[in-house]
Amino acid sequence: MDLKPWRQRAAQGAGGAREWRWFFPRIPPSPLRCALTLSGARLAAREAHNRRCQPPLSRRQCVERYLKFIELPLTQRKFCQRCQQLLLPDDWGQHSEHQVLGDVSITQLRRPSQLLYPLENKKTNAQYLFADRSCQFLVDLLSALGFRRVLCVGTPRLHELIRLTASGDKKSNIKSLLLDIDFRYSQFYMEDSFCHYNMFNHHFFDGKTALEVCRAFLQEDKGEEIIMVTDPPFGGLVEPLAITFKKLIAMWKEGQSQDDSHKELPIFWIFPYFFESRICQFFPSFRMLDYQVDYDNHALYKHGKTGRKQSPVRIFTNIPPNKIILPTEEGYRFCSLCQRYVSLENQHCEHCNSCTSKDGRKWNHCFLCKKCVKPSWIHCSICNHCAVPDHSCEGPKDGCFICGELDHKRSTCPNIATSKRANKAVRKQKQRKSSKMKMETTKGQSMNHTSATRRKKRRERAHQYLGS
């Protein structure tokens, strides 16, 4: 083969080199080179996205604006609901066409979670806020346990209520520090009350200054009477969260004396009950409480629901459960055998010697499995354990979900295009079937209505005939 044309194109520069690489018939592009190019493109896109998501103001600027804002008369205190920003008089012209909330009171400034819209992107930073019932329970519990400082990691509403309680009740001397990924809160708090923080990689966005604020808060009074309360996103992996929390624990232990090296930082980790084994894998001293935490802006995690619709969110803690009193008016009772408060339907199993329910329902004891299981589960003789009635006895596939091969995953399966087309065809077929059923139902209702009208007219004519 004559390579002269390709050599000439390569000599023309970058464009010719690219042309030569793709037109050469026998040497395809290296998969590694393509992967590196793709990774570079993705990296650049991520950097651009990160720049767009950066706070518009520095931490110092936010504090200065806040101090100016609270000095304004009530009629000049405005909040832009579109930009989610407190407005000074110089900013009014830029937000004249936006939806602006006026007469922002000091009480509203103390409850920023009610001014700010919750973040709702489930892939990145979905934000669910404690309901007032759960939040008040936590504040009362922390006070009853004798804590005077609370490190709130991802719990803005609890942070607000603690500060409100401290300002309104002279007897309450609880302080709190909020660490949260949502930088919008920086415009409502001073530097010693809020740190812009990522709990998945233990990153303080404001650098060493914020890190020292957190360190000083943890080590104040030699680390006594402090607790960490955290409510991470439920879609996050337990392992990176556990690593971060252990770094915070290590920071707290730096202020401890050698005699107190055996002590643990008290923690309330709020997470769904089905993560119990994973959490206990990293923190063996943790125990799960039966208290059901509910949220204001979540469609499912609400108080008062029964059965499988109950909130699955629980409190994991290294505080002994017998020291934690749950509210009896909400249906919790004290089990004298387990020496802890449990939900009303969580019955003590004499075979397991424990109140075994995790989800608030009464569980049944399986003598073959030698443990209690959910009421909807049955014992499978093939699998030799309890499972849902319509489970697959073959178990999950170890390899690709499409072809079953062990050397790759679904995302790199060569048959993924065929699988997508098949799934799309199935979805379309289901849609057509559903539309057809709706049409038949509508047609049947229309025919039934017509038949009823005819029968009514026949009865009327018969009455007229008999009356005549």
Side-chain angles (χ1 to χ4, degrees):
M1 178 183 291
D2 185 13
L3 298 179
K4 187 176 180 181
W6 281 277
R7 289 196 184 106
Q8 290 175 349
R9 290 194 183 108
Q12 293 173 1
R18 283 196 298 269
E19 192 176 358
W20 169 73
R21 185 173 71 244
W22 288 107
F23 277 89
F24 197 82
R26 295 186 183 276
I27 306 178
S30 167
L32 178 60
R33 185 184 302 171
C34 290
L36 291 173
T37 305
L38 184 62
S39 298
R42 286 185 176 179
L43 182 62
R46 186 178 67 178
E47 290 298 328
H49 174 75
N50 288 343
R51 284 194 296 271
R52 288 195 299 269
C53 295
Q54 288 296 318
L57 301 171
S58 68
R59 189 73 182 92
R60 186 68 249 169
Q61 289 174 319
C62 289
V63 172
E64 291 173 356
R65 287 174 61 88
Y66 176 74
L67 293 175
K68 292 178 182 178
F69 188 86
I70 59 177
E71 291 177 356
L72 294 172
L74 181 63
T75 54
Q76 294 186 17
R77 293 187 201 143
K78 297 183 180 181
F79 176 76
C80 179
Q81 294 180 319
R82 176 177 172 180
C83 301
Q84 298 284 279
Q85 181 182 343
L86 295 175
L87 302 180
L88 295 176
D90 295 340
D91 305 325
W92 292 354
Q94 302 173 12
H95 303 264
S96 58
E97 297 182 359
H98 298 177
Q99 187 175 359
V100 174
L101 178 67
D103 298 342
V104 179
S105 65
I106 297 296
T107 303
Q108 288 176 299
L109 289 175
R110 290 175 176 171
R111 300 300 302 266
S113 68
Q114 296 181 353
L115 278 176
L116 300 170
Y117 294 135
L119 302 175
E120 295 181 347
N121 189 340
K122 294 183 179 181
K123 292 185 177 180
T124 55
N125 48 11
Q127 213 171 34
Y128 298 110
L129 303 168
F130 291 145
D132 289 339
R133 178 192 73 91
S134 294
C135 210
Q136 189 62 57
F137 163 75
L138 287 170
V139 173
D140 295 341
L141 178 60
L142 296 173
S143 179
L145 291 172
F147 293 109
R148 293 193 299 109
R149 298 192 317 284
V150 183
L151 182 65
C152 299
V153 184
T155 56
R157 188 154 284 183
L158 177 64
H159 177 66
E160 293 172 6
L161 192 56
I162 290 173
R163 290 170 61 85
L164 274 175
T165 305
S167 63
D169 186 1
K170 294 182 179 180
K171 295 181 180 179
S172 176
N173 57 351
I174 302 180
K175 297 192 300 182
S176 66
L177 171 64
L178 175 63
L179 310 182
D180 201 277
I181 189 70
D182 190 353
F183 64 82
R184 298 177 300 172
Y185 285 102
S186 60
Q187 59 186 319
F188 296 93
Y189 296 117
M190 303 296 287
E191 291 168 311
D192 61 346
S193 301
F194 171 76
C195 295
H196 188 199
Y197 177 75
N198 187 345
M199 70 175 75
F200 285 96
N201 59 1
H202 187 57
H203 177 69
F204 290 87
F205 290 88
D206 296 310
K208 191 175 180 180
T209 303
L211 175 64
E212 292 304 321
V213 168
C214 181
R215 190 192 306 277
F217 187 83
L218 284 169
Q219 297 178 6
E220 184 179 337
D221 295 335
K222 297 181 179 179
E224 297 292 331
E225 299 177 328
I226 184 171
I227 184 173
M228 184 178 82
V229 181
T230 180
D231 181 31
F234 301 153
L237 295 175
V238 171
E239 183 175 1
L241 292 170
I243 292 172
T244 291
F245 298 155
K246 286 181 179 180
K247 289 180 180 179
L248 291 171
I249 293 170
M251 194 185 299
W252 169 77
K253 280 193 173 184
E254 290 174 4
Q256 299 284 302
S257 62
Q258 293 294 332
D259 298 335
D260 297 331
S261 59
H262 65 282
K263 287 186 177 180
E264 290 186 353
L265 173 66
I267 296 176
F268 280 170
W269 183 342
I270 298 166
F271 226 48
Y273 70 84
F274 37 81
F275 285 100
E276 181 182 16
S277 60
R278 291 287 291 160
I279 291 176
C280 292
Q281 177 184 348
F282 293 99
F283 296 98
S285 62
F286 276 30
R287 296 292 179 268
M288 188 181 78
L289 305 180
D290 271 24
Y291 185 80
Q292 298 179 9
V293 181
D294 56 305
Y295 296 81
D296 262 351
N297 57 325
H298 198 287
L300 301 178
Y301 301 166
K302 299 284 187 181
H303 176 59
K305 295 188 175 182
T306 59
R308 296 181 62 186
K309 296 182 179 180
Q310 298 176 80
S311 172
V313 186
R314 302 290 185 270
I315 301 174
F316 296 87
T317 181
N318 51 0
I319 299 174
N322 59 359
K323 293 184 178 181
I324 299 174
I325 301 175
L326 303 185
T328 55
E329 63 273 13
E330 294 183 16
Y332 299 98
R333 60 180 181 82
F334 186 76
C335 176
S336 57
L337 298 173
C338 294
Q339 286 294 297
R340 69 182 182 96
Y341 277 82
V342 296
S343 59
L344 191 62
E345 293 188 11
N346 189 0
Q347 301 298 316
H348 191 90
C349 176
E350 59 182 12
H351 306 286
C352 299
N353 194 28
S354 175
C355 293
T356 52
S357 175
K358 308 292 184 185
D359 60 5
R361 296 179 293 170
K362 182 182 177 181
W363 285 21
N364 302 323
H365 187 83
C366 175
F367 291 96
L368 296 174
C369 293
K370 297 181 180 180
K371 65 177 182 178
C372 288
V373 297
K374 294 181 179 181
S376 58
W377 287 20
I378 59 172
H379 191 86
C380 177
S381 57
I382 300 174
C383 301
N384 198 27
H385 63 77
C386 289
V388 292
D390 56 347
H391 71 282
S392 173
C393 295
E394 298 177 358
K397 294 181 179 179
D398 292 332
C400 175
F401 289 158
I402 296 175
C403 65
E405 295 294 333
L406 300 176
D407 59 345
H408 63 268
K409 297 293 183 181
R410 177 186 179 279
S411 58
T412 57
C413 180
N415 300 325
I416 190 170
T418 307
S419 175
K420 285 183 177 179
R421 285 196 296 270
N423 292 336
K424 189 175 181 180
V426 171
R427 285 196 300 271
K428 284 186 176 181
Q429 187 177 0
K430 287 183 178 179
Q431 289 174 357
R432 286 196 295 268
K433 187 176 180 180
S434 176
S435 301
K436 186 178 179 181
M437 290 175 65
K438 287 180 181 178
M439 290 176 62
E440 289 177 352
T441 304
T442 306
K443 184 178 179 181
Q445 290 175 350
S446 176
M447 291 178 65
N448 291 338
H449 178 71
T450 305
S451 301
T453 304
R454 289 174 179 172
R455 287 195 297 270
K456 184 177 179 181
K457 288 182 178 180
R458 282 199 295 268
R459 284 197 298 269
E460 289 175 355
R461 287 197 296 268
H463 283 303
Q464 291 175 0
Y465 177 78
L466 292 172
S468 60

